[in-house]
Amino acid sequence: MDYQLTEEQVMIRDLARQIAREKIRPKAAEYDEKEEFPWDMMKALAKADLFGVYIEEKYGGTGGGVLELAIVTEELSCACGGIAVCFAASALGTYPIILFGNDEQKKKYLPLIAGGEKITGFALTEASAGSDASNMQTTARKEGDHYVLNGTKQWITNGGEAQVYTVIAMTDKNKGARGASAFIVEKDTPGFTFGKKEQKLGIRASATRELVFTDCKVPKENLISREGMGFIVAMKTFDASRPGVAAQAVGIAQGALDLAVDYARQRFQFGKPISSFQGIQFMLADMATQIEAARALVYAACRHVTSGAKNVAKESSMAKLFASDVCMKVTTDCVQVFGGYGYMRDYPIEKFMRDAKITQIYEGTNQIQRDVIAHHLIKESLAKK
Ligand SMILES: Cc1cc2nc3c(=O)[nH]c(=O)nc-3n(C[C@H](O)[C@H](O)[C@H](O)COP(=O)(O)OP(=O)(O)OC[C@H]3O[C@@H](n4cnc5c(N)ncnc54)[C@H](O)[C@@H]3O)c2cc1C
């Protein structure tokens, strides 16, 4: 389908597609098996200038936005959802700086991020603060020229590998969500260490790790926006990044479907390729249709996010919700097309199903996305009265 991409967007897509096919696909299973961070893949993406696709030209990027980010993420995810998220999570960690950073912070960090010299992570979640992020316990106490951070962040993508983190911590616990603030914390800051590295069901090339802050002194210049803005920084970041998770979901689903169509042509039962059975054909047709619908919603949501519209949370959540549910259904059905072989690790399809599941969970579970959508629907309805 023609999504009326610009010449530059087509170029970015083709470049990402080439890297996905030539470099990522042949090594996806190996990275998954070893649970190893794919630094050589990150270097290939940096060399192709793809880390800068969503960063303004004046800060060293190529001047695109969330759509360009989605296009690259989708292509990489077709080959490996795990390697793709190492790339996409760096954008998640960078959006707080793009959206709320001051010029000094942008000049200091964005060119390095755009060039792929530094990758980033975003740290909001804690052991007892998942969907209810306002329950976070990590504190940032102001002391002279510094903030002193104490606490532990859990399940941070790119944890231990990224060189720069945007971290949400409480500067005033009494104020609840309004007492949270956002900080830029560099990897080698004294008092900042890494805890447990998780072993996961899917996206196993990506690192998911604890960040531990023990009297970690962060210069006051690293506060993003103002004290008390942490929650808003996080929520606006999600508005920009959720279409990226949705694009990851579209890519994983497309990658799985491509394999399933090939397999269905080659697998013979009852003397015929299984692709000749209507039962299989209908599954393939439904999957292709669902993926196309998800892609259309994702691209539309990306355009809406960059349109300057005041409120984009509903559309961003819709894209994430729909695409990730499609991804889970499609990858499960693709395993079905492979039959028993689909269940075996000798075949690449089971990995797609494992990688799919996380898209329904992170950056807000799909229950939370439905909450966001319903909340906005009700608000809009009240506003009409
Ligand atoms: C692999 C991985 C990578 C991650 N990367 C990052 C990262 O880089 N940075 C970061 O900050 N976080 C990250 N996370 C955390 C992720 O965003 C959270 O796991 C997610 O927000 C859900 O929180 P939780 O796991 O604590 O689930 P919980 O909040 O405990 O939810 C458990 C269940 O209850 C449901 N539920 C909770 N509240 C409600 C409600 N109000 N209404 C209806 N249902 C509800 C949920 O939908 C879910 O089904 C990552 C998680 C994983 C697994």
Side-chain angles (χ1 to χ4, degrees), residues 92 122-125 130-132 154-157 200 203 208 358 361-365 367-368 371:
L92 172 67
F122 174 77
L124 175 66
T125 303
S131 300
D132 181 11
Q154 176 174 271
W155 300 340
I156 306 309
T157 305
K200 306 191 292 293
I203 57 160
T208 309
I358 192 62
I361 296 173
Y362 58 16
E363 291 195 31
T365 65
Q367 285 76 21
I368 295 302
D371 259 5

Side-chain angles (χ1 to χ4, degrees), residues 20 35 37 150 160 173 205 264 347:
E35 301 186 49
F37 192 82
N150 278 290
K173 268 186 152 182
Y347 284 75

Side-chain angles (χ1 to χ4, degrees), residues 90-252:
S90 188
L92 172 67
T94 305
Y95 262 107
I97 304 175
I98 294 177
L99 297 173
F100 291 92
N102 58 34
D103 202 43
E104 306 287 279
Q105 291 167 340
K106 288 182 181 178
K107 275 190 197 144
K108 182 169 177 190
Y109 292 104
L110 295 184
L112 295 168
I113 295 166
E117 287 161 68
K118 288 192 192 287
I119 66 162
T120 75
F122 174 77
L124 175 66
T125 303
E126 298 179 7
S128 56
S131 300
D132 181 11
S134 65
N135 192 38
M136 81 185 89
Q137 304 298 315
T138 299
T139 55
R141 194 180 67 248
K142 189 146 187 225
E143 267 184 20
D145 283 352
H146 290 83
Y147 285 90
V148 181
L149 268 62
N150 278 290
T152 301
K153 293 288 173 183
Q154 176 174 271
W155 300 340
I156 306 309
T157 305
N158 287 349
E161 307 293 337
Q163 300 91 344
V164 178
Y165 298 83
T166 44
V167 179
I168 313 293
M170 300 302 289
T171 37
D172 187 347
K173 268 186 152 182
N174 298 324
K175 288 189 180 160
R178 290 200 181 127
S181 304
F183 299 90
I184 302 169
V185 187
E186 296 192 24
K187 186 179 186 178
D188 51 10
T189 310
F192 178 19
T193 53
F194 299 98
K196 187 175 169 225
K197 183 175 180 232
E198 301 297 338
Q199 292 189 300
K200 306 191 292 293
L201 171 74
I203 57 160
R204 286 155 45 118
S206 108
T208 309
R209 201 154 171 189
E210 273 178 350
L211 312 187
V212 184
F213 302 100
T214 315
D215 291 330
C216 172
K217 279 169 86 177
V218 175
K220 70 175 180 359
E221 293 73 37
N222 287 21
L223 172 70
I224 299 175
S225 184
R226 300 188 309 276
E227 273 190 31
M229 285 288 285
F231 225 71
I232 293 173
V233 169
M235 293 308 126
K236 294 284 173 196
T237 293
F238 286 146
D239 287 352
S241 66
R242 279 174 180 158
V245 178
Q248 183 195 16
V250 170
I252 293 171

